[in-house]
Amino acid sequence: MIRVKNSSEAPSLRDAVLFPFDSSSFPFTSGIRLQLVPGKTPNITNQIVLRRGVEGTPDSHTVRFYGTVINVDDQLRMWYLGKGGTSPEDGLRVCYAFSSDGLNWEKPQLGLVEYKGSTANNLVDLLKGRSDVTEAPVIYDPDDPDPNRWFKMNFESNPYGARFAVAYSPDGLVWTESPNNPRGPSIEQSGLIKFNDWYYVNGQDGYLPSHYGAKRKMVTFASKDFETWSPSGALSFRRDAIPPRHMA
């Protein structure tokens, strides 16, 4: 058993997940750099690994991650957001790429969604190619007994009032939305994991009244079945100094 000291009474836990950028919860911080730093690869002078597409492709104007990279059967698979222009119909859509080394990425022509008169693009089939997806974290969950649910996505889009929704896929390319959407509030999610048979989605919240504070906060929602999520999010991380937050 371990004990975690934070702003409240220290609980006894069998497992704990500690975030090294949280100076309140991470113990033994002497000499530790508590901020993110860019990764470096030997002999690689340009760290950009996924560039915008050529004119006429759905990511020719903007490439925005806000998605996921997963290792599936020794292949790195990426879901990211792309934008092909500045017109109203050129919003963010979910694009797909794959790589064997994380440095060289290929954008396959999936043939699933028509874009500017052609299906020769790397758009996944979500929302029939709608262009207003703002976040789309994905997990690979082969332990699910239903192979049509081996890939799971938690996303936000205008059809659901920018509240978070869920979708399922057998291959990560053709997605089926839950008929119960939306499944939670707007949280600008960026993290999705499965731990001890529970699903957790993390996002930043500047809107939910359940957690006070002057700045955006990281909150976590939990689900046992990926459909029914906790009615309120657990406060995961807060940067401002409003009590009772412990200041190291």
Side-chain angles (χ1 to χ4, degrees):
M1 301 294 287
I2 58 176
R3 296 182 69 82
V4 178
K5 177 81 174 165
N6 203 332
S7 57
S8 60
E9 182 180 352
S12 295
L13 303 173
R14 189 171 300 277
D15 298 292
V17 178
L18 303 176
F19 294 93
F21 53 82
D22 182 350
S23 59
S24 295
S25 297
F26 192 69
F28 312 120
T29 58
S30 177
I32 294 179
R33 178 175 293 180
L34 299 178
Q35 65 264 13
L36 300 178
V37 296
K40 296 180 179 180
T41 304
N43 304 320
I44 301 295
T45 57
N46 193 330
Q47 297 296 314
I48 298 176
V49 296
L50 190 74
R51 295 185 175 276
R52 291 179 294 177
V54 299
E55 186 68 27
T57 58
D59 62 352
S60 61
H61 181 272
T62 300
V63 168
R64 181 180 297 176
F65 182 55
Y66 250 137
T68 303
V69 174
I70 300 175
N71 188 331
V72 180
D73 297 329
D74 294 325
Q75 181 185 73
L76 295 174
R77 305 179 64 175
M78 179 193 295
W79 293 261
Y80 68 98
L81 303 181
K83 187 176 181 180
T86 58
S87 62
E89 63 270 19
D90 273 317
L92 292 166
R93 295 173 167 86
V94 181
C95 302
Y96 174 80
F98 65 87
S99 171
S100 61
D101 58 9
L103 298 175
N104 301 287
W105 291 86
E106 181 175 342
K107 303 175 184 179
Q109 296 184 358
L110 299 176
L112 299 175
V113 176
E114 182 174 328
Y115 178 77
K116 294 190 175 180
S118 173
T119 60
N121 57 61
N122 65 329
L123 290 173
V124 304
D125 186 1
L126 174 72
L127 295 165
K128 303 302 180 183
R130 283 185 65 108
S131 62
D132 51 10
V133 179
T134 51
E135 304 94 31
V138 175
I139 60 170
Y140 178 52
D141 187 20
D143 293 331
D144 194 309
D146 184 353
N148 291 313
R149 292 166 48 105
W150 279 3
F151 289 88
K152 296 177 172 67
M153 177 188 293
N154 191 302
F155 68 97
E156 292 188 357
S157 183
N158 283 343
Y160 303 115
R163 300 176 66 191
F164 80 67
V166 300
Y168 307 94
S169 172
D171 56 9
L173 303 178
V174 178
W175 293 87
T176 299
E177 304 155 54
S178 169
N180 303 314
N181 283 336
R183 306 310 302 144
S186 174
I187 61 168
E188 195 172 345
Q189 67 269 42
S190 60
L192 177 62
I193 66 168
K194 183 179 182 181
F195 181 71
N196 286 344
D197 295 325
W198 280 80
Y199 303 97
Y200 299 92
V201 61
N202 301 301
Q204 65 172 1
D205 153 45
Y207 320 103
L208 296 179
S210 56
H211 301 298
Y212 57 84
K215 298 182 180 180
R216 293 183 179 183
K217 307 161 286 287
M218 186 173 79
V219 295
T220 301
F221 286 81
S223 174
K224 188 67 174 178
D225 61 2
F226 211 74
E227 284 283 332
T228 304
W229 293 81
S230 55
S232 62
L235 182 62
S236 308
F237 180 66
R238 198 177 82 226
R239 296 178 62 110
D240 55 322
I242 298 176
R245 182 185 186 276
H246 171 70
M247 297 301 293

